[in-house]
Amino acid sequence: MVGIVIVSHSKQLALGVRELAKQMVQGDFPIAVAAGIEDSDNPLGTDPIQVYEAIASVFSDDGVLVLMDLGSALMSAEMALEFLPEAQREHVYLCEAPLVEGAIAAVVAAAAGRNIQQVIAEARGALTVKATQLGVDSPHLSVVSSDRPNNTEYPTQELRLTVSNRLGLHARPAALFVATAARFQSQIKVRNLTKNTAVVGGDSINQVAILGVRQGHELEITATGDDADQALAALQALFATNFGEDDSTFEPAQTVNHEVISATPGELLGIAASPGVAIAPVVHYQPSAITITEYHVDDPEAEWQRLQAAIHTACQEIQAVFSQASIQIGDAEAAIFDAHLLVLKDPVLLEAAYQRILEHHLNAEAAWQAVVDEVATSYRTLEDSYLQERVDDVVDVGQRVLRLLVGNAPASLHLLEPAILVATDLAPSDAIGLDPTMVLGICTTVGSATSHSAIIARTLGIPAVLGVGGEVLHLEDGTLMALDGETGKAWVEPEPDILDVLAAKREAWQTAQREAKAKAHQPAVTRDGQQINVFANVGSINDVQVAIASGAEGVGLLRTEFLYLGRTIAPTEDEQFAVYQAIAQVLNHRPLIIRTLDVGGDKPLPYLNIGFTEANPFLGWRGIRFCLDHPEFFKTQLRAILRASAEHNLKIMLPMIATVMEVRAAKIILGEVQDELRQAEIIFDENLQVGIMVEVPSAVAIADQLAAEVDFFSIGTNDLTQYVMAGDRTNLRVATLVDALHPAVLRMIRQTVQAAHTAGIWVGLCGELAAHPLAAPILLGLGLDELSVNPQSIPILKQAIARLSVTEAEAIATLALQQDSANHVRALLQQSTVP
Ligand code: PEP
Ligand code: MG
């Protein structure tokens, strides 16, 4: 039977834990304590010899699990291991589980005859029950060791893999690697053979990233443990699927000039990071400086708790930024904020901070700053420029935690007039909040074309020149500046002749854009004359303007969550009415499909006071389910939409429909609102169409019944894919599974389209699949009537449709449905793409 040792500074505490644990099992049980020291004046402490003796007293080849309280208990336990003969040491495991809960869970598992690995797993998971009951995410952060136990009883399995991703293991694949490795009990280690690096832990995002893995590099991955085979197979699958990346879509839409061209007088040279010309007054952006003082703390444990609380809040903030980002720039780009979360959960970083606080009695700010600086420096010293740039993410996350520790408010970026933003640097969390109608350009003294901020700037269409000389930081706010994001040049108070040239270039650039977009204003018609409606997915008024300029023929999905997010109370009927009207006016009689509120899942609203934390938010109280349970709240939105429908071409779309009853219940509430409006003699569109999102598998299964209830369907492949494949769309660990090109998802689309057409209603698709550059033939071939995509993707989608014929598309779709994996579908599409 596995033996347990309790190491504590306090004898009373250790004996109490032992007593409690023994209550859980019957009969004698091998549990020993090593606690306190022989000093009557100061009995609190730990002694390595005592720990050694305790281990020896319960030792068997089944193994011994050692649980420790804190600080020197860990060191004493580590020293005790040194005293053991090597053959015994291999059977002894120091475990980071919480002392009380861990001891009880471990004793129960050991008494049940579980092996040492299972006992360790039980001890580690001991806080889960408590966390679930209290409705908190996971209060436990692994701090003592990032390593899995030394599973020396298992042979080490080894695998060599070559990385084929275009950018190697950059932030997202590295995060995916770590998340996958962490799923297994086995100890995963990895090293870059091509660069002959040291071996690092596969569960540390920073260590994996620091391996500097590029395309073509060979990695040696080892796994030691009882699930080593499965772990290596899962990692191999990641490599085989290119970490779910589609390299063909990686390049930014426009070519970016990375060359620095020599300056003529008056010019500032920088890096061309996002194309376009901007001429506007300067506004400085300076996040309030965070001043850190280093001091000695008397209660390091409390200090560690303080750091953990700040990290926990930072995780919640990043989660909120992620929600906003997925609306603004799409799930794929927003995933960079997932990498931020992994930095915060990196066991190596946390362990380093823990050691500084506990061993050196350092305050949390100083400890955190020091470890973040260390990681940042390791990134900077890499030869690889792409990985060097990941330092931005580490620094951004580091600053967020520091700001929370010192209690600084986040810096505000709200501009009153259009301007060029000048800053030392722009963190991705700052960039994501920018309004392209107010921020006409970005000029920073630090940064590069492949930083996440630059990627976000390009996605938002904001011209940017990064890495110019520090003199721009001394300019007065309001100074006129010009920049050219294509050549990477900037000018302060440009001479009239330069201004003329730039204004002409801006004009030419805008004309070129207009011309490119002009084609996008033509209907999307296939070579054999079939027209497909191409609409836009929008989440703000700004998006609608961009959508129209990009050739949208209407809005296929207005995500109304943007009205509700980032506030402390729900928007009123009048506020909503004003926004819906404003959007409809921009659309100028083009159709506007307003989706009723779809909160919950990845978009929680704090002020809705749901009152509990859901174990599975995506399977929980979201979308229509929440609205039907809050009819007054729902009616406010419906009234606002109906009022706006009086003079505009509006349709209502209900999200997350799973049953016919939900549609009927929603229509009853809608009917009540219509009656109330009629009684109040308020005009609305009596023929307003009502449709549903088809994004829950049950809705596909009963699509024929649902089609009889509504005027249209719009297939939400983002959710449909996660539910069909049973993979959380925000969980990196299952990211490769959540692939809308999987034949399982494509067959669901076919079934929905057939049901809609049989019932005589139209059917669109508004998930991100519609914007996938390769997906157009399948969607056309499956018979969709409308596609709704993010505004930036419209011209390309229209072009793809114009190159196809329905006959070809149908043939491709038929073949795609017969494939046995998303990758085979992708390969088929790549072969059949018309050049
Ligand atoms: C979808 O699920 O495909 C969809 C378009 O809606 P959202 O991404 O807002 O959930
Ligand atoms: Mg959805």
Side-chain angles (χ1 to χ4, degrees):
M1 189 186 293
V2 172
I4 311 285
V5 171
I6 308 289
V7 182
S8 169
H9 285 66
S10 155
K11 191 153 210 138
Q12 279 167 307
L13 174 62
L15 292 174
V17 172
R18 184 168 70 170
E19 190 186 347
L20 202 56
K22 278 191 147 188
Q23 295 275 318
M24 308 291 157
V25 292
Q26 305 213 322
D28 214 5
F29 183 86
I31 176 167
V33 300
I37 48 172
E38 298 298 331
D39 180 348
S40 51
D41 290 331
N42 190 9
L44 294 183
T46 54
D47 174 359
I49 299 289
Q50 260 197 55
V51 182
Y52 160 72
E53 286 169 349
I55 293 173
S57 73
V58 295
F59 183 84
S60 78
D61 282 350
D62 288 340
V64 175
L65 180 72
V66 182
L67 293 158
M68 302 139 285
D69 60 9
L70 34 104
S72 68
L74 278 63
M75 284 187 294
S76 295
E78 281 170 344
M79 281 175 74
L81 288 189
E82 305 291 328
F83 304 146
L84 287 167
E86 199 174 344
Q88 288 193 3
R89 202 182 305 150
E90 290 169 356
H91 297 281
V92 180
Y93 297 81
L94 308 189
C95 177
E96 80 277 22
L99 191 65
V100 179
E101 292 88 342
I104 291 169
V107 165
V108 172
R114 301 280 178 84
N115 68 31
I116 184 75
Q117 295 306 330
Q118 292 163 327
V119 173
I120 292 168
E122 285 298 309
R124 282 195 169 135
L127 275 187
T128 315
V129 179
K130 206 174 188 179
T132 309
Q133 191 167 341
L134 296 178
V136 291
D137 287 347
S138 175
H140 176 61
L141 293 167
S142 170
V143 294
V144 174
S145 171
S146 68
D147 284 347
R148 304 287 153 129
N150 283 324
N151 299 307
T152 42
E153 68 195 67
Y154 299 98
T156 295
Q157 317 270 9
E158 185 188 305
L159 188 65
R160 290 184 177 203
L161 293 169
T162 302
V163 175
S164 48
N165 295 48
R166 194 185 169 103
L167 287 173
L169 290 197
H170 65 93
R172 268 172 281 168
L176 204 47
F177 183 99
V178 169
T180 305
R183 250 170 49 206
F184 297 92
Q185 280 299 312
S186 295
Q187 186 178 51
I188 311 284
K189 301 217 176 228
V190 53
R191 92 184 163 101
N192 186 338
L193 288 174
T194 310
K195 293 181 76 180
N196 198 16
T197 65
V199 176
V200 302
D203 59 355
S204 163
I205 179 75
N206 292 311
Q207 291 201 354
V208 170
I210 286 166
L211 289 175
V213 182
R214 306 296 282 145
Q215 187 176 36
H217 283 189
E218 193 184 13
L219 299 190
E220 179 189 83
I221 305 168
T222 59
T224 314
D226 62 352
D227 54 5
D229 284 341
Q230 294 98 305
L232 291 184
L235 291 169
Q236 188 165 23
L238 285 182
F239 284 72
T241 54
N242 246 2
F243 289 79
E245 292 200 332
D246 181 356
D247 284 344
S248 62
T249 61
F250 181 79
E251 287 291 357
Q254 297 98 340
T255 322
V256 175
N257 177 13
H258 293 235
E259 299 294 318
V260 172
I261 303 149
S262 68
T264 54
E267 283 176 9
L268 302 169
L269 292 184
I271 297 157
S274 176
V277 172
I279 303 171
V282 161
V283 164
H284 284 277
Y285 168 65
Q286 202 171 16
S288 40
I290 304 176
T291 322
I292 302 295
T293 339
E294 185 177 314
Y295 55 89
H296 177 94
V297 291
D298 292 334
D299 185 353
E301 190 54 38
E303 201 61 8
W304 169 241
Q305 296 300 337
R306 200 162 72 80
L307 178 59
Q308 281 190 307
I311 290 173
H312 184 67
T313 311
C315 285
Q316 288 176 325
E317 283 187 3
I318 294 170
Q319 198 62 53
V321 172
F322 177 78
S323 301
Q324 184 199 351
S326 33
I327 290 177
Q328 211 171 344
I329 59 170
D331 281 357
E333 294 301 354
I336 59 175
F337 292 103
D338 264 355
H340 284 203
L341 285 176
L342 274 170
V343 171
L344 282 183
K345 290 179 179 162
D346 187 328
V348 173
L349 194 81
L350 294 172
E351 183 186 349
Y354 178 79
Q355 276 174 358
R356 277 169 197 267
I357 295 176
L358 269 283
E359 284 170 18
H360 307 300
H361 285 232
L362 209 57
N363 57 315
E365 292 85 347
W368 179 251
Q369 172 86 75
V371 296
V372 168
D373 282 354
E374 262 171 25
V375 176
T377 307
S378 328
Y379 274 89
R380 283 194 189 101
T381 51
L382 290 170
E383 285 159 30
D384 188 304
S385 63
Y386 188 85
L387 285 166
Q388 276 174 12
E389 284 143 20
R390 301 287 69 80
V391 80
D392 295 354
D393 298 316
V394 175
V395 172
D396 192 5
V397 170
Q399 288 293 106
R400 187 182 287 279
V401 173
L402 277 185
R403 180 173 55 66
L404 288 162
L405 280 171
V406 301
N408 280 11
S412 163
L413 259 179
H414 293 297
L415 301 181
L416 299 174
E417 299 284 339
I420 290 179
L421 205 67
V422 170
T424 310
D425 198 4
L426 211 53
S429 343
D430 297 328
I432 192 65
L434 298 181
D435 171 359
T437 60
M438 295 305 261
V439 179
L440 302 187
I442 297 171
C443 180
T444 68
T445 57
V446 184
S448 74
T450 46
S451 66
H452 282 153
S453 306
I455 294 170
I456 294 172
R458 284 197 290 273
T459 314
L460 295 175
I462 303 177
V465 175
L466 309 184
V468 298
E471 58 267 40
V472 289
L473 299 176
H474 305 295
L475 298 174
E476 295 268 315
D477 271 3
T479 311
L480 187 71
M481 184 183 234
L483 59 82
D484 181 345
E486 199 176 40
T487 59
K489 292 181 186 176
W491 295 261
V492 176
E493 293 187 324
E495 296 295 329
D497 55 332
I498 293 185
L499 211 48
D500 288 347
V501 172
L502 285 174
K505 182 163 183 186
R506 181 176 59 179
E507 185 56 38
W509 188 72
Q510 285 169 346
T511 310
Q513 295 283 306
R514 270 197 298 273
E515 275 170 11
K517 284 175 187 159
K519 286 205 179 119
H521 287 273
Q522 293 164 9
V525 183
T526 60
R527 295 205 321 271
D528 47 0
Q530 166 104 8
Q531 185 176 343
I532 311 295
N533 292 323
V534 177
F535 287 5
N537 294 344
V538 298
S540 69
I541 300 187
N542 296 333
D543 287 355
V544 188
Q545 278 149 350
V546 180
I548 294 300
S550 311
E553 292 151 12
V555 163
L557 167 62
L558 172 65
R559 289 185 167 104
T560 54
E561 295 78 70
F562 80 97
L563 278 166
Y564 294 76
L565 288 166
R567 340 175 12 129
T568 49
I569 50 164
T572 62
E573 178 187 324
D574 283 346
E575 272 177 88
Q576 295 193 49
F577 170 66
V579 173
Y580 301 147
Q581 258 214 328
I583 291 178
Q585 262 150 13
V586 178
L587 284 171
N588 195 17
H589 301 299
R590 294 177 183 89
L592 167 58
I593 301 180
I594 303 184
R595 181 175 74 182
T596 58
L597 186 62
D598 184 17
V599 282
D602 60 338
K603 301 170 197 136
L605 285 187
Y607 59 85
L608 287 185
N609 274 336
I610 288 185
F612 57 88
T613 307
E614 293 184 297
N616 294 301
F618 276 119
L619 302 182
W621 213 19
R622 65 172 284 204
I624 197 70
R625 304 166 186 190
F626 181 84
C627 288
L628 290 178
D629 287 344
H630 293 85
E632 286 312 316
F633 179 84
F634 190 32
K635 278 181 168 182
T636 305
Q637 183 172 36
L638 293 176
R639 247 193 316 272
I641 299 174
L642 282 170
R643 280 171 56 198
S645 75
E647 292 170 16
H648 301 287
N649 184 0
L650 260 53
K651 301 181 204 305
I652 288 184
M653 181 155 73
L654 307 169
M656 283 297 293
I657 292 292
T659 68
V660 171
M661 292 311 149
E662 285 168 344
V663 179
R664 292 193 186 144
K667 281 169 71 177
I668 288 171
I669 296 177
L670 181 67
E672 285 169 11
V673 177
Q674 289 171 325
D675 285 345
E676 286 162 18
L677 291 178
R678 280 188 206 105
Q679 270 163 24
E681 295 184 355
I682 296 173
I683 306 169
F684 62 92
D685 176 5
E686 293 280 354
N687 299 315
L688 183 86
Q689 288 194 356
V690 178
I692 59 165
M693 301 254 331
V694 176
E695 51 187 347
V696 177
S698 67
V700 178
I702 55 166
D704 53 336
Q705 297 172 352
L706 290 168
E709 305 282 332
V710 295
D711 300 306
F712 65 91
F713 285 164
S714 183
I715 305 174
T717 44
N718 305 341
D719 276 316
L720 185 60
T721 308
Q722 74 163 343
Y723 296 132
V724 169
M725 305 305 292
D728 181 335
R729 67 196 252 189
T730 61
N731 185 344
L732 273 177
R733 295 175 194 205
V734 292
T736 46
L737 192 64
V738 188
D739 189 333
L741 283 177
H742 195 283
V745 181
L746 301 179
R747 289 175 186 208
M748 295 294 230
I749 298 175
R750 178 184 55 180
Q751 195 178 332
T752 310
V753 173
Q754 284 175 348
H757 287 171
T758 306
I761 64 170
W762 66 266
V763 51
L765 190 145
C766 60
E768 284 182 30
L769 175 63
H772 194 297
L774 293 174
I778 294 192
L779 301 181
L780 204 65
L782 290 176
L784 285 147
D785 303 297
E786 175 246 39
L787 298 173
S788 192
V789 294
N790 63 67
Q792 288 83 0
S793 304
I794 289 175
I796 293 159
L797 175 60
K798 285 193 163 181
Q799 189 181 51
I801 293 172
R803 286 176 175 170
L804 284 162
S805 76
V806 175
T807 328
E808 280 162 0
E810 282 173 352
I812 294 170
T814 307
L815 272 178
L817 261 57
Q818 289 161 9
Q819 302 303 309
D820 59 6
S821 71
N823 273 349
H824 287 151
V825 172
R826 206 170 268 114
L828 169 79
L829 292 171
Q830 260 147 5
Q831 280 162 20
S832 34
T833 302
V834 184

